[in-house]
Amino acid sequence: MKFKQNIRGNVALGVNPLGCKQEVLNQIDYVKSKGHYDAPKKVLIIGASSSYGLATRISLAFGAGADTIGVSFEKGPKSERNLGTAGWYNNIAFREAAEKEGLVAKNFVTDAFSHTAKQEVINYIKNEFGGKVDLVVYSLASGRRTDPDTGETYTSSIKAIGDKVVGPNINMQKEEFFTDTLEPATEQEIADTVKVMGGEDWEIWMKALKEADVLSDGVLTTNYSYLGTELNRPYYGGGTLGQAKADCDVKADNINKLLADINGKAQIVVATAVTTKASSVIPFFIVYCIGLYKVMSEKGTHETPIMHQDRIYREMIYGDKPEYDDEGRLRPDSWELDSDTQAETEELIMKLNEDNFNTDMTAYDLFYKEFSNLSGFMVDNYVEEDITIDELKSWEY
Ligand code: NAI
């Protein structure tokens, strides 16, 4: 069977299952090359199948020897034309590699927003995972959420607040640079985005886990935020997504109170801009990234999700180089926010136009490769193999 890369706008539709497997193995090799570090051994990751959640899982399993439970929402193969999602194959590749090393790697493919998902995970922790977890990572990114109590479904919007934003954007399918407009959100759209991407579900998870008595004394829970810079404030920090991230700060305070009697902590981690399924569809963001990555690559500070997450857990959270801001948030994004980096990025992106955005002047090729890697294409060390749809269907997550 031939696997074909298929991009619509900036959304990847095609997938190469064997490429996804190789990409997971490449990330495992990266972590192993850094050696062992000490960190919790029983970890739950909500949103574990791609980008930041997957990278966190790989770092903790292969860097610190952790047993992991991963929750994600992915689709398996149905036919040659419908091979499912990359995260489905990432889950399988991760489990196989972890089990080879004698680690527990349990995958739940279910709607994390539901009460059933929480109950299933709690039952598993109690009955088969040793009874407690030491670390809960919340790395969900979703466009929709059904409230488990009311059954109402909310949709998030990526919109500005107040004034509309006009600026350059890129369409990777057509390799086009064009002027895009982001309309201001209505009050309802802001509230719905907070409902989907804010911290409510994170708090519900932590309450359910605490009530079920499956959290260890001293448990840590992390949640990935993005604050960005002046260059993307109009459409990110100052827009609907910024409101959702601000809600996570509020929910972190609630969770800190909830966990006080078991010496637990909720930690907001302000992560750096990386190429993911979620970030590729944020208007204007690719333009920022191709400028930023060019500057950071030249300074030796550009990171992929695995490099960033491995540094966060190995060197910052469980190492001796944490950097916190005044609000107590962990700031691994300091490399992105470095003032020279930002000044040079601004200078570069101001010069971009339809003739030069995809030349050596920028990191367009790097962004495109990282984007392709997410679906198993352009993966380093990939060797083409023959595989049938029936073989793919027989892979278990
Ligand atoms: P992603 O789209 O690569 O991964 C999202 C994960 O959530 C996947 O495992 C997916 O299966 C899971 N998921 C989605 N809906 C689900 C549901 N209903 N039930 C169970 N699982 C579900 O996202 P990415 O980019 O790794 O984002 C993770 C977090 O990191 C988000 O909070 C995002 O805002 C944050 N972040 C991302 C940055 C970026 O540049 N991409 C920068 C800083 C923070």
Side-chain angles (χ1 to χ4, degrees):
M1 192 191 329
K2 285 267 177 259
F3 303 111
K4 199 169 163 293
Q5 188 165 15
N6 180 7
I7 303 175
R8 190 173 303 151
N10 293 327
V11 177
L13 299 178
V15 61
N16 181 339
L18 298 169
C20 290
K21 276 202 164 186
Q22 185 58 48
E23 177 56 24
V24 169
L25 296 179
N26 291 348
Q27 293 188 34
I28 293 172
D29 283 347
Y30 172 82
V31 170
K32 284 188 171 173
S33 76
K34 298 267 165 182
H36 177 84
Y37 65 101
D38 287 326
K41 295 281 184 280
K42 294 284 178 186
V43 182
L44 165 62
I45 296 148
I46 303 155
S49 60
S50 55
S51 302
Y52 270 157
L54 174 65
T56 306
R57 194 178 193 190
I58 291 175
S59 175
L60 289 160
F62 294 92
D67 290 334
T68 57
I69 301 172
V71 182
S72 62
F73 205 47
E74 303 291 346
K75 291 196 189 92
K78 289 205 165 61
S79 65
E80 287 198 14
R81 288 174 63 86
N82 181 355
L83 291 174
T85 54
W88 176 269
Y89 300 103
N90 294 341
N91 281 337
I92 294 169
F94 175 85
R95 182 188 51 72
E96 285 179 355
E99 285 177 353
K100 261 193 206 153
E101 311 247 332
L103 300 171
V104 176
K106 174 71 178 170
N107 291 321
F108 285 90
V109 177
T110 178
D111 178 10
F113 296 128
S114 69
H115 289 315
T116 353
K118 294 170 177 85
Q119 201 48 57
E120 278 176 38
V121 169
I122 286 169
N123 291 345
Y124 178 78
I125 297 172
K126 279 191 169 164
N127 302 328
E128 292 175 64
F129 200 64
K132 306 254 184 199
V133 289
D134 319 300
L135 171 64
V136 180
V137 177
Y138 192 87
S139 184
L140 220 72
S142 177
R144 285 156 71 84
R145 172 176 172 224
T146 300
D147 185 309
D149 294 321
T150 63
E152 197 172 332
T153 298
Y154 298 87
T155 304
S156 67
S157 331
I158 304 171
K159 288 203 171 175
I161 293 178
D163 296 323
K164 69 177 177 188
V165 179
V166 180
N169 200 359
I170 287 169
N171 177 321
M172 285 192 285
Q173 179 192 0
K174 298 183 181 157
E175 206 167 330
E176 246 175 36
F177 188 89
F178 65 102
T179 299
D180 208 351
T181 303
L182 197 61
E183 294 299 332
T186 62
E187 288 301 320
Q188 190 60 51
E189 285 171 327
I190 299 170
D192 289 357
T193 305
V194 171
K195 189 87 184 164
V196 179
M197 283 296 287
E200 188 175 81
D201 181 61
W202 180 31
E203 190 177 354
I204 297 175
W205 265 100
M206 295 314 295
K207 274 188 184 154
L209 294 165
K210 168 104 191 292
E211 264 166 37
D213 194 25
V214 294
L215 298 175
S216 301
D217 190 71
V219 68
L220 177 72
T221 179
T222 52
N223 185 326
Y224 303 137
S225 188
Y226 184 71
L227 291 180
T229 74
E230 286 313 317
L231 296 179
N232 51 37
R233 185 108 45 230
Y235 59 87
Y236 199 108
T240 48
L241 287 175
Q243 291 293 305
K245 292 302 181 194
D247 182 65
C248 292
D249 291 347
V250 174
K251 299 306 191 295
D253 290 343
N254 297 350
I255 297 170
N256 273 321
K257 287 185 195 116
L258 174 81
L259 301 181
D261 62 334
I262 54 167
N263 305 302
K265 184 179 174 191
Q267 180 66 64
I268 295 286
V269 177
V270 187
T272 197
V274 284
T275 314
T276 71
K277 274 188 303 180
S279 64
S280 305
V281 295
I282 301 175
F284 321 117
F285 198 62
I286 301 181
V287 176
Y288 171 71
C289 287
I290 64 172
L292 178 77
Y293 293 5
K294 180 71 181 179
V295 172
M296 291 184 81
S297 296
E298 279 169 1
K299 291 186 188 299
T301 53
H302 173 65
E303 292 176 300
T304 55
I306 191 64
M307 294 163 87
H308 196 57
Q309 290 301 337
D310 192 67
R311 181 165 68 88
I312 288 171
Y313 287 88
R314 179 187 296 274
E315 296 184 13
M316 301 187 95
I317 297 182
Y318 300 112
D320 55 5
K321 294 186 197 129
E323 290 170 47
Y324 296 101
D325 63 19
D326 294 344
E327 259 116 284
R329 296 175 295 211
L330 194 74
R331 300 306 299 265
D333 63 334
S334 58
W335 293 3
E336 175 185 349
L337 266 50
D338 165 69
S339 53
D340 284 350
T341 299
Q342 284 299 312
E344 288 170 39
T345 302
E346 181 170 15
E347 200 186 330
L348 174 54
I349 61 181
M350 295 304 277
K351 290 186 199 148
L352 297 186
N353 57 45
E354 61 271 27
D355 297 323
N356 63 18
F357 78 97
N358 52 357
T359 64
D360 283 355
M361 229 175 111
T362 74
Y364 178 81
D365 286 351
L366 177 62
F367 188 94
Y368 189 81
K369 179 177 187 289
E370 291 178 357
F371 176 79
S372 303
N373 287 171
L374 296 170
S375 311
F377 295 99
M378 297 177 79
V379 171
D380 293 337
N381 311 317
Y382 171 69
V383 182
E384 201 172 312
E385 269 175 59
D386 254 347
I387 190 151
T388 64
I389 182 69
D390 289 333
E391 283 172 288
L392 285 181
K393 281 185 181 171
S394 71
W395 290 2
E396 284 181 21
Y397 69 81

